[in-house]
């Protein structure tokens, strides 16, 4: 089930954005075969990103390992990988080799710095790509250092999700042209893309290139996080005048006794008044008063609290798969809904059956197993 039902994808297993992309494609109904290196033991933690797809252990350093991947690519609509530039080529499974076997193939690659450029072959992690893209500098308090936004902006939003969008777009185009292509998803590009609105505000003179002094970075006291009496926190997003007015009315503050909402010189006073007020009740007491109103207030929930919130439960935003609570597939489709994810499975105990469905003869698979190319 799902809008990508009938689409076949080969995933060359890696970490971070590549598996996240493959998970998204599998969630939406694509048949994804995860090609992994032979493992010496079970994974150290639940591999949630591997949900919804079969796994095959292939030794890519074996003389016949590359041939297995090329055979799979010949039967696929897309292939995704997250190696450093040049690694897939050295293994004999780069775009040129794969497209020679299947001219309609979409070859998706995700890296930190991209396939070309002065830093293309340098090591790095999410924090480095986000920093170079200009997406790290705006995050953090005024007068303090930038705060890493976990690895959500580079690895996942600017990496895996961008690759998934690129792969789907290229598969659609291949359906019209009959020709595949390479999708180069660089996390530095994706992180930069996510800052588009900030560049728009900067160009309009509505954004300062300093942390913690702007409307959306915690600088505005009506778009900020406040501590409550029990040491928990509320997220306040009363940006528009009407929402701000409702906030003041519901919490019992008189606008006439406060600085103007957009009076930046008065923001420290307004922040102090709001902070003192929110410290007078617990988070949940404030939520009973404000949540679900146009005051634009929500509780700051932990990872363990979020699945239990009534709204998330009503929408089944989180599901339990294989005994592990995790985010459900998104977005929602009215006519081709995504199926409930299946838990990750171990390496295929019957690769002959799996690979036969991908066009590899059972005799050839048996020979490859005995030769050690497939484990």
């Amino acid at each position: 089930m799902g809008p990508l039902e009938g689409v076949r994808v080969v995933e060359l297993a890696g970490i971070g954005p590549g598996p996240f992309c493959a998970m998204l494609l599998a969630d939406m109904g694509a048949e994804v075969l995860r090609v992994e290196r032979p493992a010496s033991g079970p994974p150290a933690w639940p591999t949630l990103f591997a949900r919804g797809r079969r796994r095959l252990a292939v030794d890519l350093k074996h003389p016949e390992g590359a041939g297995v991947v090329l055979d799979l690519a010949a039967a696929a609509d897309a292939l995704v990988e997250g190696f450093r530039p040049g690694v897939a080529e050295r293994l004999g499974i780069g775009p040129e080799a794969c497209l020679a076997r299947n001219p309609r193939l979409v070859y998706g690659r995700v890296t930190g710095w991209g396939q070309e450029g002065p830093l293309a072959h340098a090591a790095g992690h999410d924090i480095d790509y986000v920093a170079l893209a200009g997406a790290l500098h705006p995050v953090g308090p005024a007068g303090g250092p930038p705060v890493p936004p976990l690895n959500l902006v580079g690895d996942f939003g600017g990496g895996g999700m961008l690759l998934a969008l690129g792969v789907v777009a290229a598969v659609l185009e291949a359906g019209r042209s009959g020709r595949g292509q390479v999708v180069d998803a660089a996390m530095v590009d994706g992180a930069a893309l996510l800052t588009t609105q900030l560049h728009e505000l900067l160009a309009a003179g509505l954004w300062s290139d300093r942390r913690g002094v702007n409307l959306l970075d915690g600088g505005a006291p009506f778009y900020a996080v406040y501590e409550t009496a029990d040491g928990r926190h509320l997220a306040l997003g009363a940006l528009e005048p009407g929402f701000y007015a409702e906030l003041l009315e519901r919490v019992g503050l008189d606008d006439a006794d406060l600085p103007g909402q957009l009076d930046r010189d008065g923001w420290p006073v307004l922040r102090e008044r709001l902070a003192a007020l929110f410290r007078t009740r617990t988070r949940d007491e404030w939520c009973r008063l404000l949540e679900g109103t146009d005051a634009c207030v929500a509780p700051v929930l932990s990872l363990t609290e979020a699945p239990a919130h009534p709204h998330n439960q009503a929408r089944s935003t989180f599901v339990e798969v294989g005994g592990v609570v995790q985010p459900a597939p998104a977005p929602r489709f009215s006519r081709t809904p995504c199926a409930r994810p299946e838990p990750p499975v171990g390496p295929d105990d019957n690769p002959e059956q799996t690979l036969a469905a991908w066009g590899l003869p059972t005799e050839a698979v048996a020979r490859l197993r005995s030769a050690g190319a497939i484990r």
Side-chain angles (χ1 to χ4, degrees):
M1 296 176 65
L4 293 182
E5 186 173 7
V7 174
R8 280 184 158 182
V9 180
V10 176
E11 172 198 0
L12 302 184
I15 60 174
F20 183 62
C21 166
M23 184 196 80
L24 295 175
L25 299 176
D27 281 352
M28 295 188 189
E31 179 185 354
V32 182
L33 180 59
R34 178 177 167 91
V35 176
E36 301 179 336
R37 66 185 65 185
S40 57
W45 55 75
T47 53
L48 302 191
F49 285 169
R51 72 189 189 191
R53 49 206 195 268
R54 303 200 67 81
R55 299 158 67 187
L56 177 72
V58 178
D59 185 355
L60 295 178
K61 295 184 178 179
H62 188 281
E64 296 189 82
V68 176
V69 174
L70 294 178
D71 286 341
L72 293 173
D77 297 289
L79 179 149
V80 295
E81 56 98 342
F83 298 130
R84 279 204 205 184
V87 170
E89 285 82 353
R90 289 195 295 273
L91 291 171
I93 52 176
E96 185 175 349
C98 288
L99 285 164
R101 291 291 304 274
N102 180 1
R104 296 174 60 97
L105 182 74
V106 171
Y107 194 105
R109 353 183 56 171
V110 60
T111 58
W113 305 115
Q115 296 297 316
E116 57 188 20
L119 297 177
H121 295 276
H125 276 295
D126 176 288
I127 192 170
D128 306 305
Y129 316 134
V130 171
L132 199 73
L136 177 57
H137 180 272
V139 183
V147 176
L150 303 179
N151 62 336
L152 304 179
V153 175
D155 279 347
F156 303 124
M161 196 168 289
L162 185 73
L163 178 62
L165 173 63
V167 166
V168 171
V171 167
L172 284 173
E173 195 281 333
R176 297 191 298 269
S177 68
R179 299 170 60 193
Q181 59 183 306
V182 177
V183 179
D184 173 10
M187 285 178 259
V188 67
D189 298 347
L193 186 63
L194 293 174
T195 68
T196 299
Q197 186 188 39
L198 302 185
H199 282 276
E200 178 183 41
L201 294 172
L202 186 65
L206 300 175
W207 189 269
S208 171
D209 208 14
R210 294 183 293 125
R211 277 184 299 284
V213 298
N214 297 285
L215 282 175
L216 303 177
D217 62 1
F222 45 85
Y223 195 89
V225 174
Y226 289 95
E227 186 176 4
T228 55
D230 53 352
R232 294 178 173 179
H233 295 87
L234 286 174
L236 171 62
L239 275 174
E240 292 80 359
F243 298 159
Y244 178 70
E246 178 155 347
L247 169 73
L248 297 186
E249 180 182 351
R250 288 182 177 273
V251 301
L253 289 178
D254 188 345
D255 190 24
D257 295 334
L258 299 171
Q261 181 185 6
L262 300 181
D263 176 9
R264 290 176 180 261
D265 292 335
W267 279 2
V269 173
L270 180 56
R271 183 183 303 277
E272 184 177 330
R273 291 285 302 276
L274 288 172
L277 176 69
F278 285 126
R279 283 195 295 265
T280 63
R281 302 188 191 186
T282 67
R283 185 193 70 182
D284 292 346
E285 286 173 338
W286 282 117
C287 286
R288 284 193 287 272
L289 175 67
L290 299 172
E291 193 175 11
T293 74
D294 281 358
C296 300
V297 173
V300 177
L301 302 179
S302 70
L303 292 174
T304 55
E305 288 179 305
H309 190 277
H311 184 79
N312 292 335
Q313 288 194 333
R315 289 186 56 80
S316 299
T317 300
F318 294 86
V319 294
E320 185 174 314
V321 180
V324 180
V325 175
Q326 56 198 271
R332 315 293 173 88
F333 298 89
S334 63
R335 187 172 53 80
T336 57
C338 300
R340 185 181 184 88
E342 295 291 332
V345 297
D348 201 336
D349 292 329
N350 187 9
E352 288 87 356
Q353 182 178 359
T354 297
L355 294 178
W358 285 70
L360 278 71
T362 55
E363 302 82 6
V365 176
R367 182 184 62 77
L368 289 167
R369 288 190 78 181
S370 63
I374 297 175
R375 305 287 179 87

